[in-house]
Amino acid sequence: MPSRPESPPVRMHADELDIDEALVERLVAGRFPHWAGLAVRRVASAGTDNAMFRLGPDLVVRLPRLPGGARQVGAEHRWLPRLAPHLPLTVPAPLALGGPGAGYGLPWGVYAWLEGADAFEAPPADLAAAARELGRFVAALRSVDAAGGPPSYRGGPVSEGNADVRAAIRDLGAAGALDARAATGVWEDVLRIPGWDGAPVWLHGDLLPGNLLTSSGRLTAVIDFGCFGTGDPAADLMPAWTVLDAGTRQVFRAAAGADDATWERGRGWALRFGLTAEHYYGDVCGNGTNPVLAAVARRTVAEVLSDR
């Protein structure tokens, strides 16, 4: 998993929980005394929903940052061991599940540490090869039996974000940070696309550069399954615009096996993510708390609007 240079944590949400090294030490000592005494060090990342701390050289502790995050860690611990054998890229390996304590009220987990850098800091050297690998990952995940799986945060209709998308277009356009007419045209096209009418399938739901690990220039792992679950697979086509470029998008599409309507809904999800993330986390209209995610969002919108 990525480990950027340490910096003071930034509060991105008004209801964010207070989580620091001392809390993690108390939680670990109280629940897993055999790991007490291992060094605890915050992992700086652009993740918005969870905080991560190195625990010794081989482990990482993952804790929800928001009161509503109780589902995420438990779902990862239940489902990732079942999904991992079917997937062509490494995914996090849950090792232990902790419960509320030491003044912290949510479940939290311990995982094996994954070496590598995230694809924002260290993009794949061969983007076409990464497109094939990522497309195969999406296809493999979609093919696993999804019976009993929880609904994904991004597994429903992309149109459910209509109000937030239009607010972002209005505000970013008024600030001169967006071609509002072009963005509105693409979004209205998205709203006319037929919805998913198949059975729910597995999707990761958050395939952004920060959730992809590279090593020696190669894509090696997919992390952060906080949004994963079942539903319409379209959101897992977002990396065509969040990670890839015009020359590699179709490589990814072929490997993922996306039909026309699902591909266009995926484009809609990329636009929805890009506009709303920039609107919330950027420094033009938002709170300015996550410059990495805002940069990914701006790049995504530009790729969507140029892909016509």
Side-chain angles (χ1 to χ4, degrees):
M1 296 181 182
S3 182
R4 294 191 179 93
E6 292 187 56
S7 58
V10 174
R11 295 182 71 88
M12 291 178 278
H13 314 283
D15 57 347
E16 193 162 322
L17 303 174
D18 292 321
I19 304 172
D20 59 15
E21 287 86 348
L23 171 64
V24 175
E25 289 173 354
R26 294 195 302 273
L27 286 169
V28 170
R31 181 64 180 84
F32 305 113
H34 55 290
W35 286 327
L38 292 177
V40 172
R41 178 167 57 89
R42 180 182 291 273
V43 177
S45 88
T48 62
D49 293 339
N50 293 274
M52 294 193 301
F53 294 80
R54 291 289 298 267
L55 179 62
D58 302 318
L59 306 173
V60 63
V61 180
R62 179 170 157 87
L63 309 93
R65 300 172 70 142
L66 300 172
R71 165 195 172 274
Q72 295 185 10
V73 174
E76 289 180 343
H77 279 247
R78 177 180 178 185
W79 291 103
L80 281 180
R82 306 185 194 190
L83 296 172
H86 304 281
L87 303 177
L89 293 169
T90 300
V91 298
L95 301 178
L97 183 62
Y104 180 78
L106 299 176
W108 50 280
V110 181
Y111 302 74
W113 174 257
L114 295 177
E115 294 293 344
D118 71 57
F120 180 84
E121 291 196 342
D126 184 339
L127 206 55
R132 281 189 292 273
E133 292 283 350
L134 199 49
R136 291 168 184 160
F137 175 88
V138 168
L141 182 58
R142 190 176 64 228
S143 70
V144 179
D145 182 7
S152 168
Y153 168 72
R154 291 192 172 117
V158 65
S159 59
E160 290 178 349
N162 183 53
D164 290 339
V165 168
R166 291 192 184 277
I169 291 173
R170 179 196 66 218
D171 295 344
L172 292 168
L178 175 73
D179 183 338
R181 181 175 180 180
T184 298
V186 173
W187 182 245
E188 290 181 347
D189 288 345
V190 168
L191 297 179
R192 289 189 284 269
I193 300 166
W196 175 252
D197 59 1
V201 298
W202 285 110
L203 64 152
H204 177 278
D206 204 26
L207 293 174
L208 306 178
N211 294 332
L212 307 175
L213 297 189
T214 64
S215 181
S216 301
R218 290 187 57 252
L219 183 63
T220 57
V222 177
I223 61 172
D224 193 344
F225 280 68
C227 291
F228 94 111
T230 65
D232 177 359
D236 269 0
L237 300 178
M238 285 200 298
W241 300 273
T242 62
V243 178
L244 304 173
D245 59 17
T248 54
R249 269 192 272 279
Q250 293 305 316
V251 175
F252 169 73
R253 179 178 179 176
D259 61 64
D260 290 347
T262 305
W263 182 254
E264 290 303 320
R265 290 197 307 279
R267 185 166 176 246
W269 270 109
L271 183 63
R272 174 177 163 178
F273 154 73
L275 289 170
T276 57
E278 167 66 5
H279 191 233
Y280 186 88
Y281 295 107
D283 57 7
V284 175
C285 299
N287 58 24
T289 59
N290 197 324
V292 170
L293 194 60
V296 173
R298 284 192 296 274
R299 191 260 188 194
T300 299
V301 172
E303 290 290 326
V304 170
L305 297 185
S306 68
D307 185 24
R308 306 198 68 173

